[in-house]
Amino acid sequence: MTTQRIGYLGPKGTFTKMAVDSLFEGGEFVSYETIPACLDAVENGEIDTGVVPLENAIEGSVHLTIDYLIHQVNQAIIAELTVPIRQHLLTHPDYHGEEITEIHSHSHAIAQCHQFLHKHYPNAEIFYTASTGRAAEVVKEKGPHAAAIGNHLAAEMNGLDIKESNIHDYDNNHTRFAVVQKEPKTLQVKDHPVEKHKTTVMVTLPQDYVGALHQVLAAFAWRKMNLSKIESRPMKTGLGNYFFLVDVDQPYDQILFPGVQQELEALGCKLKVLGTYPSYEIDVPAPVTK
Amino acid sequence: MTTQRIGYLGPKGTFTKMAVDSLFEGGEFVSYETIPACLDAVENGEIDTGVVPLENAIEGSVHLTIDYLIHQVNQAIIAELTVPIRQHLLTHPDYHGEEITEIHSHSHAIAQCHQFLHKHYPNAEIFYTASTGRAAEVVKEKGPHAAAIGNHLAAEMNGLDIKESNIHDYDNNHTRFAVVQKEPKTLQVKDHPVEKHKTTVMVTLPQDYVGALHQVLAAFAWRKMNLSKIESRPMKTGLGNYFFLVDVDQPYDQILFPGVQQELEALGCKLKVLGTYPSYEIDVPAPVTK
């Protein structure tokens, strides 16, 4: 069996890399700096499989993933994985209770820990970095008066300690990743339970008419197909033209989905299947607090 | 009349600041580093009005805006503005045709100009900054071999030149901002045409049951109320619980909306109006290319 080549949105020490490490059983891992670069690499065969954020990510613009999948490349979603977002306060190995005067992180991570920082470090100066991984590097250089906000992988990779764990303001924050391929190849994944099977479709409306979306959803509803997510997104052809992304809570089949498709086409809509796939929920090990 | 105090998601030289400058007629402007910090300042009366990204932003996590408005503060959306995203290649004032070996920007901006960079600067090294405004500052320090990707305001504020304008890969990219207040106060805005009036409502379902969304939309559809956007978002109470954000293309009224509300409550849903407001589309002046 040839080695699977998996690309992901980097840099190292990100939530994406944590997800990749947890899911895949072996393989060669390649980090890409942007979502388009990762998807291009799948398209031109540099890698077999790409992993990019699909919802609620810190590192990448999620709309860009959807738009690029729809407009620029011809790839299918073959799996999804959700990972909890857990932010920790990371300190220098020489830290021994000194005052922390500087806190470094990505602006989204700072925002996610807003109430924690307000309560515990109201006087620390905040510095914004391009990623949470970069923040950990900076703290390693700066010394014990500086701390970073990031995940446990960023701590490990830079030899930092986790002073306080789970400092994010909200629980139940997850990032959702899409695993995409151009040519279907077998994935070698660790022994994770498959939470459920889902199918993602894109529905394009002929024009912006009253009640159109309601008619589209009727085609799913009377077949008792459950929708777990729906989102309208503007087409790139101008303001006011929308398409809909719909997640259906069941695998693609040869009866219900073709039935929906025919019904929607009769209404002047188009339906495109972006993927039918297993959904993995991956928990990350609880970190050791120093 | 007292001076209006307007807070916005900074730092300076961002798309948010461009939007704020274009919309408001006078007033005192205060920059905040994160979305929660800006909304907290509205909540505790430091500022009268906040401006935060609602869709497709480079600088802020848009989901955070929605979640914070729903869970943390009690504020209404009183206006929205959409601004086109236009990215330019910015060079040092001493630049006279030297080779550009470094390009600096926020990772989302780099991703938005992926094809341009691939075609014109395949060998330049890419450096990631915490914001596009910061990238412009870095280029000012670095000299003529470095270039930044950012908007015309970032160029102006740092004395850079626009070498190439509109280098983003897609046209029709817009950022949408919400203008929020705790206590209704009059806004002093420049003479912009109001594109339309909209109402944003949040609908919470009693549980995840098949066809629920279809029933919710039926309440709008048979009243011929047009929906311009719909998005499902997870509740913070756990996976699998969703609420829906719905933009209705008309102002709140005392007949149709209460009718929808009663009908949805009879189904066990809850409806909360997040705001009814004018929508402004603001174009930014075409920049002068050097």
Side-chain angles (χ1 to χ4, degrees):
Chain A
M1 195 180 271
T2 54
T3 310
Q4 55 185 358
R5 291 174 55 84
I6 296 148
Y8 64 94
L9 177 67
K12 288 173 182 122
T14 61
F15 285 93
T16 318
K17 184 58 165 58
M18 277 172 50
V20 164
D21 286 346
S22 307
L23 183 67
F24 293 99
E25 183 68 61
E28 189 180 331
F29 298 97
V30 188
S31 162
Y32 291 88
E33 295 278 11
T34 65
I35 291 165
C38 185
L39 295 176
D40 277 358
V42 174
E43 196 69 9
N44 65 31
E46 264 176 55
I47 50 177
D48 307 317
T49 306
V51 182
V52 286
L54 201 56
E55 196 174 320
N56 203 27
I58 290 187
E59 294 108 4
S61 162
V62 169
H63 286 162
L64 194 61
T65 299
I66 300 291
D67 290 345
Y68 215 78
L69 281 178
I70 284 171
H71 297 290
Q72 291 290 331
V73 292
N74 187 19
Q75 297 167 20
I77 302 171
I78 58 148
E80 73 163 17
L81 50 162
T82 57
V83 182
I85 297 178
R86 299 217 173 110
Q87 302 286 11
H88 314 304
L89 191 72
L90 314 181
T91 47
H92 195 272
D94 296 341
Y95 173 82
H96 300 290
E98 296 90 337
E99 191 190 355
I100 291 171
T101 55
E102 295 182 6
I103 293 177
H104 299 255
S105 199
H106 189 285
S107 62
H108 293 190
I110 296 285
Q112 284 176 349
C113 303
H114 174 70
Q115 293 177 49
F116 171 87
L117 293 173
H118 184 71
K119 190 170 169 190
H120 298 285
Y121 297 94
N123 300 318
E125 194 174 355
I126 307 293
F127 293 89
Y128 296 91
T129 54
S131 68
T132 51
R134 176 70 194 133
E137 286 174 15
V138 170
V139 167
K140 189 62 185 285
E141 293 158 15
K142 286 265 180 174
H145 65 290
I149 293 175
N151 60 38
H152 74 91
L153 189 58
E156 269 172 34
M157 292 186 57
N158 293 283
L160 301 185
D161 296 316
I162 295 178
K163 180 175 186 293
E164 303 237 24
S165 61
N166 299 322
I167 63 168
H168 45 278
D169 295 333
Y170 296 106
D171 274 339
N172 294 310
N173 250 335
H174 288 74
T175 293
R176 192 175 155 217
F177 298 94
V179 181
V180 298
Q181 288 185 337
K182 188 172 172 66
E183 311 288 348
K185 293 191 181 175
T186 314
L187 282 186
Q188 293 147 256
V189 298
K190 289 178 182 163
D191 187 22
H192 286 289
V194 172
E195 185 69 19
K196 54 185 172 183
H197 274 85
K198 292 165 76 171
T199 304
T200 298
V201 301
M202 170 194 179
V203 178
T204 317
L205 303 182
Q207 55 185 357
D208 189 22
Y209 66 90
V210 172
L213 178 59
H214 174 245
Q215 272 192 295
V216 167
L217 295 187
F220 293 98
W222 78 258
R223 289 178 174 84
K224 293 192 184 295
M225 298 167 82
N226 200 24
L227 310 183
S228 57
K229 184 173 167 66
I230 180 160
E231 185 177 356
S232 58
R233 293 274 308 136
M235 294 291 287
K236 294 298 179 189
T237 50
L239 279 176
N241 296 315
Y242 279 81
F243 66 86
F244 296 92
L245 279 178
V246 178
D247 286 358
V248 189
D249 265 357
Q250 58 194 70
Y252 190 84
D253 69 274
Q254 291 302 333
I255 296 173
L256 293 173
F257 279 92
V260 167
Q261 180 149 10
Q262 284 170 21
E263 209 166 298
L264 293 185
E265 283 172 359
L267 293 170
C269 301
K270 280 185 196 158
L271 183 145
K272 184 181 174 187
V273 178
L274 297 183
T276 181
Y277 49 83
S279 173
Y280 299 95
E281 278 175 28
I282 289 175
D283 208 350
V284 286
V288 181
T289 311
K290 193 185 178 188
Chain B
M1 193 181 270
T2 54
T3 310
Q4 56 185 356
R5 291 174 56 83
I6 296 149
Y8 64 94
L9 176 67
K12 288 172 182 125
T14 61
F15 285 93
T16 317
K17 185 57 165 57
M18 278 173 51
V20 164
D21 287 345
S22 306
L23 182 67
F24 293 98
E25 183 69 61
E28 189 180 330
F29 298 96
V30 188
S31 164
Y32 291 89
E33 296 278 12
T34 66
I35 291 165
C38 185
L39 295 176
D40 277 358
V42 174
E43 196 69 8
N44 65 30
E46 266 176 55
I47 49 176
D48 308 316
T49 307
V51 182
V52 286
L54 201 56
E55 195 174 321
N56 203 28
I58 290 186
E59 294 110 4
S61 163
V62 169
H63 286 163
L64 194 61
T65 299
I66 300 292
D67 290 345
Y68 215 78
L69 281 178
I70 285 171
H71 297 290
Q72 291 291 330
V73 292
N74 187 19
Q75 297 168 20
I77 302 172
I78 57 148
E80 73 163 17
L81 48 163
T82 58
V83 182
I85 297 178
R86 299 218 172 108
Q87 302 285 12
H88 314 305
L89 191 71
L90 314 181
T91 47
H92 195 272
D94 296 341
Y95 174 81
H96 300 290
E98 296 90 337
E99 191 189 357
I100 290 171
T101 56
E102 295 182 6
I103 292 177
H104 300 255
S105 199
H106 189 287
S107 63
H108 293 190
I110 296 285
Q112 284 176 348
C113 303
H114 175 69
Q115 293 176 49
F116 171 87
L117 293 173
H118 184 72
K119 190 169 170 190
H120 298 285
Y121 297 95
N123 300 318
E125 196 174 355
I126 307 291
F127 292 89
Y128 296 90
T129 54
S131 68
T132 52
R134 176 69 194 134
E137 286 174 14
V138 170
V139 167
K140 189 62 185 284
E141 295 158 13
K142 286 265 182 176
H145 65 289
I149 292 175
N151 61 37
H152 73 92
L153 188 59
E156 268 171 36
M157 292 187 56
N158 293 283
L160 301 184
D161 296 314
I162 295 177
K163 180 174 185 294
E164 303 238 23
S165 60
N166 299 323
I167 63 169
H168 46 278
D169 295 334
Y170 296 106
D171 275 338
N172 294 311
N173 250 335
H174 288 73
T175 292
R176 192 175 155 218
F177 298 95
V179 181
V180 297
Q181 289 184 337
K182 188 173 173 64
E183 311 289 347
K185 292 191 183 175
T186 313
L187 282 186
Q188 293 147 256
V189 298
K190 290 178 182 163
D191 187 22
H192 286 290
V194 172
E195 185 68 20
K196 53 185 173 182
H197 274 86
K198 293 164 76 172
T199 304
T200 298
V201 301
M202 170 194 179
V203 178
T204 317
L205 303 182
Q207 54 186 355
D208 189 24
Y209 65 91
V210 172
L213 178 58
H214 174 245
Q215 272 191 294
V216 168
L217 296 187
F220 294 98
W222 77 258
R223 289 179 174 84
K224 293 194 184 296
M225 298 167 82
N226 200 23
L227 309 182
S228 56
K229 184 172 168 66
I230 180 161
E231 186 178 354
S232 59
R233 294 273 307 135
M235 293 291 287
K236 295 298 179 189
T237 50
L239 278 175
N241 295 316
Y242 280 80
F243 66 86
F244 295 92
L245 279 178
V246 178
D247 286 357
V248 189
D249 264 357
Q250 58 195 68
Y252 189 84
D253 69 275
Q254 291 303 333
I255 296 173
L256 294 173
F257 279 92
V260 167
Q261 180 149 11
Q262 284 170 21
E263 209 167 298
L264 293 185
E265 283 172 0
L267 293 169
C269 300
K270 280 185 197 155
L271 184 145
K272 183 181 174 187
V273 178
L274 298 183
T276 181
Y277 49 83
S279 173
Y280 299 96
E281 279 176 25
I282 289 176
D283 208 350
V284 285
V288 181
T289 311
K290 195 188 178 186

